[in-house]
Amino acid sequence: TSIRAVISDLDGKFVTEIETPTDLKGGFEKICLQLVELIKKLVERSKLVEDKILGVGLAVAGLINSETGIIEYSPMFKWKKVNLQEELKKYLKIAVFYDNVSRVTALGELLYGVGKKHKNFICVNVGFGIGAGIIINGEPFFGNRGFSGEFGHIIVNHNSPHTDADGIRGCIEALSSGYGIAKIAKDQINSGKESSILRDVKGNLEKITAEIVINAAKEEDILALKIVDEAMTYLGIGIDSLIKLFNPEIIVFSGGLAKSGEIFFNKLKKHILENKLREIKYIVKLVPSSFDEDATLIGAFSLVTSKILQFDS
């Protein structure tokens, strides 16, 4: 929904910041031009010489081939087989590095956050969409060609009428993401269900967001509570699967929904505990990101430091 960009020093301290809405309708080339414009504005505002900048780190929503750098597919952006590196080279002399947003966020935690204490953990990004970055023995897990961590596209209710951006029915992203929760609320109110949400958006259903639904749930609106509880039920099933598959020490949450506080974590913990192995006494900790809303930016910064300065995770 937006592009947030910063210039950082080598200590991870942000010097200058700009944010702009993403021009989704403009397509791949237009978004690349937006990126170039933001980078040039940052350089100008910080009064830096471009040659002094070590690199640009980007967190991208999509399936990125770790062998070729090609973004094979991004359901959110409707991109297919695009080369971000080559496109940006037309306009920038600075070295550019990028990877999937969830894995980038996990890299930031590994180098500068929970990675100081834990070497086996999973970062789950629960925002507009849903994804996971997996760290095993202190190394990011890429899988075959870099397509690991597509957690949001796992099906948890094949009878559900709701689909994600890729058209997958009953998956976690369709049922528990920011856009999924907003769409479910719109559909429910459209079908005649009563809710204070309608008042909050002054009758305009298109203005419904996950944040509005969660705030209504905090005010004990019956419909909003039901939607949020179901969203956390399905997300909990997914998290329980991650725990059983990877046996992580800790799970770190980033993204807008994770900032909802107790209503997010309490409901999620409840549903995870319902599904855990009964004889296993150890409970995996669920924690918010070390960097709050800057989690992805720290991850993008980490891409540059790990590549340019050759920091070994």
Side-chain angles (χ1 to χ4, degrees):
T1 53
S2 67
I3 304 170
R4 192 170 166 220
V6 299
I7 279 187
S8 174
D9 65 15
L10 288 178
D11 292 322
K13 181 183 177 184
F14 299 161
V15 180
T16 309
E17 178 178 332
I18 303 176
E19 186 168 1
T20 188
T22 311
D23 186 357
L24 286 172
K25 292 181 181 177
F28 175 67
E29 289 81 7
K30 187 59 190 279
I31 288 177
C32 286
L33 287 174
Q34 277 193 291
L35 288 172
V36 171
E37 186 180 339
L38 282 177
I39 291 164
K40 290 187 179 295
K41 277 184 181 177
L42 283 171
V43 173
E44 191 178 305
R45 288 185 188 180
S46 59
K47 298 179 181 177
L48 287 170
V49 178
E50 194 171 297
D51 292 346
K52 296 290 183 184
I53 297 171
L54 293 178
V56 176
L58 297 170
V60 183
L63 293 167
I64 301 170
N65 191 314
S66 57
E67 297 171 2
T68 64
I70 299 291
I71 301 171
E72 300 279 356
Y73 181 43
S74 175
M76 288 294 178
F77 293 103
K78 310 298 182 190
W79 294 348
K80 293 180 182 178
K81 294 190 179 298
V82 296
N83 192 324
L84 189 57
Q85 186 81 257
E86 290 301 316
E87 189 66 21
L88 293 180
K89 268 185 184 177
K90 296 176 185 177
Y91 309 99
L92 297 171
K93 294 178 183 177
I94 312 169
V96 175
F97 308 99
Y98 54 89
D99 196 5
N100 174 272
V101 57
S102 298
R103 193 158 47 238
V104 165
T105 305
L107 180 65
E109 287 287 352
L110 176 64
L111 295 183
Y112 301 101
V114 301
K116 293 175 182 177
K117 291 183 178 180
H118 306 286
K119 298 304 175 190
N120 291 280
F121 63 89
I122 299 172
C123 285
V124 178
N125 181 41
V126 191
F128 189 75
I130 293 177
I134 302 159
I135 303 295
I136 297 176
N137 296 329
E139 296 286 345
F141 176 68
F142 287 83
N144 180 34
R145 294 186 295 169
F147 299 162
S148 69
E150 291 301 315
F151 173 62
H153 301 303
I154 293 172
I155 297 168
V156 286
N157 180 4
H158 64 87
N159 292 319
S160 171
H162 303 291
T163 60
D164 69 358
D166 193 42
I168 300 174
R169 184 176 303 279
C171 67
I172 296 170
E173 189 163 292
L175 300 169
S176 306
S177 70
Y179 77 80
I181 288 171
K183 186 177 182 302
I184 290 168
K186 288 175 194 175
D187 291 346
Q188 292 283 318
I189 293 170
N190 245 336
S191 71
K193 297 283 175 64
E194 292 185 5
S195 172
S196 63
I197 294 170
L198 195 59
R199 180 201 66 215
D200 296 338
V201 296
K202 298 179 180 177
N204 185 350
L205 295 184
E206 294 309 307
K207 289 187 176 180
I208 294 176
T209 63
E211 183 179 10
I212 286 170
V213 177
I214 288 168
N215 285 339
K218 288 177 179 177
E219 297 296 321
E220 300 192 345
D221 177 86
I222 293 171
L223 178 64
L225 276 169
K226 183 174 182 292
I227 292 169
V228 172
D229 192 58
E230 285 186 356
M232 293 304 102
T233 298
Y234 291 119
L235 183 60
I237 291 169
I239 298 296
D240 174 66
S241 299
L242 289 179
I243 291 169
K244 287 168 180 169
L245 281 169
F246 293 100
N247 186 30
E249 300 166 60
I250 193 169
I251 295 183
V252 184
F253 290 87
S254 62
L257 291 182
K259 292 191 290 183
S260 305
E262 289 184 6
I263 195 169
F264 175 85
F265 283 99
N266 288 349
K267 285 183 178 294
L268 191 56
K269 284 174 185 174
K270 172 179 173 284
H271 294 301
I272 291 171
L273 287 172
E274 285 173 355
N275 298 315
K276 73 181 286 290
L277 292 166
R278 297 290 176 257
E279 295 304 315
I280 303 298
K281 303 303 179 188
Y282 178 72
I283 298 172
V284 177
K285 283 185 179 178
L286 311 180
V287 299
S289 167
S290 309
F291 308 105
D292 197 25
E293 61 185 18
D294 293 336
T296 306
L297 285 169
I298 289 291
F301 162 74
S302 302
L303 271 181
V304 180
T305 57
S306 61
K307 298 288 185 182
I308 294 287
L309 302 179
Q310 297 182 343
F311 286 174
D312 188 351
S313 63

